[in-house]
């Protein structure tokens, strides 16, 4: 089987998150030959009686993704650090652009950014209203405002002087830095509906989805390809892994909240990888953070899997 690039999520959900846990998993993933470590964004979890959590999100609080990835990058040398997903419109574009460029420079160009505009539910309205209230951002900023936010961040990464004038965001003529390590940062768009997936193909450097239902995932990847999203090529270690039309599929190998043995975990992931290859995924990220296990136990899982896949022997140094 020709493998996609494989990444794992970092421990970011309490009570299993923490500085030692992040370093343990990140260093093990790099040593074992995995392509990337990732962390997602979740501002809050509603506590009101109407909250039904149809997407099965962790009910414990989630640590901030950029700080976690910075900590992971500081304790590794090669492995990519990926946000999947970062809800960008909760922060002003010039502020977030500088934060991302700083992490990219500190990691020497290892950052790939999955971006989204809220999310958190699988059903309409496809976002959590309470997050927008807490962030002080109107939910109507989604859509065209999200596209404009992306353009404003990219403007900040362009050569100085920077200037941007949009309907929602304005950046006066100024010098804005730091600039990304390689001049820009790949932005992979998280999307669910056909219109947002086609937008990802038009203006993004790639597309991220979560394989809740593989028939849906196959259809989503098809929409992306049909709209002009081009792949960077699969195969463990192939390509730069820095965008180029990359399709990233997050997989949940076992039901969230249930501990598993290395053997069960490996069997489940291998089955999911077969499906990921079939739908044309360039990269797969395994949702380790959803397992109620200490970091050392998570390492046992990815050690077993790496041995089965022979990842260490093919690990690139970049």
């Amino acid at each position: 089987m020709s493998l996609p690039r494989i990444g794992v999520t970092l421990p970011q959900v309490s009570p299993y998150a923490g500085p030692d846990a992040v370093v343990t998993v990140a260093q093990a993933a790099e040593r074992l030959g995995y392509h990337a470590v990732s962390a997602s964004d979740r501002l809050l979890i509603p506590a009101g009686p109407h909250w039904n959590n149809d997407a099965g999100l962790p009910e414990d609080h989630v640590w901030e993704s950029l700080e976690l990835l910075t900590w992971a990058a500081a304790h590794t040398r090669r492995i990519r650090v990926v946000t999947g997903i970062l809800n960008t419109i909760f922060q002003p574009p010039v502020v977030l652009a500088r934060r991302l460029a700083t992490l990219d420079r500190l990691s020497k160009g290892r950052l790939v950014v999955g971006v989204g505009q809220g999310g958190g539910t699988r059903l309409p309205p496809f976002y959590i209203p309470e997050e927008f209230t807490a962030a002080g951002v109107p939910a109507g900023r989604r859509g065209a405002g999200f596209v404009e936010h992306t353009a404003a961040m990219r403007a900040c990464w362009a050569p100085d002087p920077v200037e941007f004038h949009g309907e929602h965001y304005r950046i006066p003529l100024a010098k804005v830095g730091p600039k990304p390590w390689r001049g820009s940062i790949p932005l992979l768009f998280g999307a669910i509906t056909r219109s947002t997936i086609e937008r990802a193909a038009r203006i993004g450097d790639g597309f991220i989805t979560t394989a809740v239902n593989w028939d849906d995932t196959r259809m989503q990847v098809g929409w992306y390809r049909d709209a002009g999203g081009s792949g960077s090529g699969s195969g463990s270690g192939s390509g730069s892994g820095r965008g180029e039309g990359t399709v990233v599929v997050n997989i949940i190998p076992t039901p969230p909240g249930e501990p598993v043995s290395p053997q069960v975990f490996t069997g489940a992931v291998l089955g999911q990888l077969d499906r990921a290859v079939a739908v044309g995924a360039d990269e797969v990220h395994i949702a380790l953070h959803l397992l109620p296990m200490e970091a050392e136990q998570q390492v046992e899982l990815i050690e077993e899997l790496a041995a089965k896949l022979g990842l260490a022997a093919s690990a690139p140094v970049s």
Side-chain angles (χ1 to χ4, degrees), residues 80-98:
R80 305 290 183 194
V81 289
V82 181
T83 71
I85 297 293
L86 180 67
N87 294 317
T88 53
I89 56 176
F90 293 160
Q91 301 181 54
V94 67
V95 173
L96 185 55
R98 294 184 68 249

Side-chain angles (χ1 to χ4, degrees), residues 60 127 197 246 255 310:
D60 292 304
Y127 64 89
I197 290 170
T246 297

Side-chain angles (χ1 to χ4, degrees), residues 32-318:
L32 294 167
Y34 288 90
H35 178 76
V37 291
S38 60
S40 297
D41 196 16
R42 186 85 280 135
L43 191 62
L44 53 78
I45 292 292
H50 64 284
W51 171 244
N52 64 10
N53 198 6
D54 66 88
L57 301 177
E59 290 287 352
D60 292 304
H61 68 265
V62 176
W63 287 41
E64 275 290 335
S65 56
L66 292 189
E67 281 74 8
L68 245 66
L69 292 172
T70 301
W71 186 245
H75 290 84
T76 55
R77 294 191 310 110
R78 174 196 59 80
I79 201 163
R80 305 290 183 194
V81 289
V82 181
T83 71
I85 297 293
L86 180 67
N87 294 317
T88 53
I89 56 176
F90 293 160
Q91 301 181 54
V94 67
V95 173
L96 185 55
R98 294 184 68 249
R99 294 185 69 198
L100 293 172
T102 297
L103 172 51
D104 193 52
R105 293 298 291 264
L106 290 173
S107 67
K108 298 185 177 179
R110 289 186 279 148
L111 178 63
V112 177
V113 179
V115 298
Q117 55 179 348
T121 66
R122 304 297 299 181
L123 300 173
F126 302 116
Y127 64 89
I128 299 174
E130 290 87 346
E131 290 195 318
F132 286 83
T133 299
V137 176
R141 189 64 53 84
R142 290 164 51 87
F146 172 60
V147 171
E148 187 178 294
H149 188 289
T150 300
M153 286 204 302
R154 284 172 166 158
C156 292
W157 297 332
D160 288 328
V162 167
E163 188 172 22
F164 185 87
H165 297 281
E167 180 180 351
H168 304 284
Y169 303 103
R170 298 188 66 188
I171 303 173
L173 189 67
K175 296 179 181 179
V176 178
K179 306 298 184 182
W181 183 261
R182 294 185 177 92
S184 190
I185 299 172
L187 298 179
L188 316 184
F189 281 57
I192 296 177
T193 65
R194 183 164 191 164
S195 61
T196 57
I197 290 170
E198 290 175 344
R199 180 175 64 201
R202 290 194 305 272
I203 67 173
D205 300 306
F207 163 57
I208 298 182
T209 189
T210 298
V212 176
N213 178 294
W214 280 102
D215 289 335
D216 290 345
T217 302
R218 180 180 294 104
M219 182 169 56
Q220 291 170 343
V221 174
W223 289 339
Y224 179 74
R225 299 299 190 206
D226 290 345
S230 58
S232 62
S234 60
S236 182
S238 68
S240 69
R242 289 273 299 179
E244 305 169 4
T246 297
V247 169
V248 177
V249 177
N250 296 312
I251 64 171
I252 305 171
T254 59
E258 295 185 9
V260 296
S261 69
Q263 294 74 26
V264 170
F265 174 81
T266 296
V269 171
L270 290 177
Q272 298 272 40
L273 286 176
D274 282 336
R275 293 183 172 189
V277 169
V279 304
D282 299 303
E283 190 164 324
V284 168
H285 286 211
I286 305 165
L288 278 183
H289 71 292
L290 297 180
L291 300 175
M293 305 171 74
E294 299 292 344
E296 292 76 13
Q297 295 174 292
Q298 294 184 17
V299 169
E300 291 179 10
L301 300 182
I302 63 175
E303 283 177 337
E304 179 84 10
L305 179 63
K308 199 76 172 178
L309 297 174
L311 290 184
S314 60
V317 176
S318 59

